[in-house]
Amino acid sequence: MHKTLLALTFCLLSSVAAAEQMYRWIDDQGVPQFGQQPPEGKAYQRINVNSPPPPGGSLRAPEPLPESATADAPAEEDPSISDEALAAKRAEQCARIRSNLQTMERNPRLSKTTEEGETVRIGEDERQRMMEQARADLAEFCNN
């Protein structure tokens, strides 16, 4: 019991020390100095100490969806983009759509990440809608 109380006290004191404000100032030799106490009689700057990232690192952002055809329309009219570059970009997007469609067809239990970072399962109706949209995009933009 005594060891547990001592460990708890140590943890509380160390968390208070970590939460203190940091200061930055320039000493007489022109060297930047940092400390938890501001210097007396010298100009100093408060440093914003950020909290550490969550255990395990930060959450991954969801992979962006394929660009829609409306995003391609202005690029096709731009004469500075060569036909070869435009064809390569379109082929890459078509390959991505085909891959996504294949994933949706083979995996009935799909999930997505919401804006809040939560992972939610995609229902069958939404999965079917997404597959129909991918097929329509392939037929319209990829000549399939």
Side-chain angles (χ1 to χ4, degrees):
M1 178 69 183
H2 181 64
K3 290 181 182 181
T4 305
L5 184 59
L6 183 62
L8 182 60
T9 304
F10 180 77
C11 289
L12 289 175
L13 290 176
S14 65
S15 66
V16 170
E20 288 187 26
Q21 183 67 40
M22 293 292 294
Y23 300 93
R24 179 184 187 267
W25 67 94
I26 306 295
D27 67 5
D28 295 333
Q29 289 77 28
V31 178
Q33 299 290 324
F34 296 90
Q36 292 181 342
Q37 296 293 326
E40 292 187 26
K42 292 189 185 245
Y44 61 89
Q45 176 184 9
R46 289 182 114 162
I47 304 292
N48 186 12
V49 180
N50 295 330
S51 61
S58 60
L59 297 174
R60 291 186 306 176
E63 186 175 325
L65 297 174
E67 294 179 17
S68 66
T70 57
D72 290 342
E76 292 175 359
E77 297 170 3
D78 188 2
S80 65
I81 298 177
S82 70
D83 290 337
E84 292 173 357
L86 190 59
K89 182 176 179 181
R90 182 165 300 250
E92 179 183 325
Q93 289 175 343
C94 289
R96 190 176 321 135
I97 292 172
R98 282 187 199 96
S99 174
N100 289 345
L101 177 61
Q102 214 172 38
T103 299
M104 288 185 279
E105 289 174 341
R106 292 180 180 172
N107 300 312
R109 297 189 63 184
L110 297 174
S111 61
K112 65 180 177 181
T113 304
T114 63
E115 292 178 4
E116 294 82 28
E118 297 178 31
T119 302
V120 295
R121 185 165 176 219
I122 294 176
E124 184 62 25
D125 294 337
E126 185 177 358
R127 178 176 160 259
Q128 291 297 326
R129 249 190 327 273
M130 290 169 63
M131 289 185 335
E132 288 174 17
Q133 180 64 44
R135 288 183 189 115
D137 288 346
L138 282 173
E140 184 175 350
F141 304 112
C142 301
N143 300 326
N144 286 350

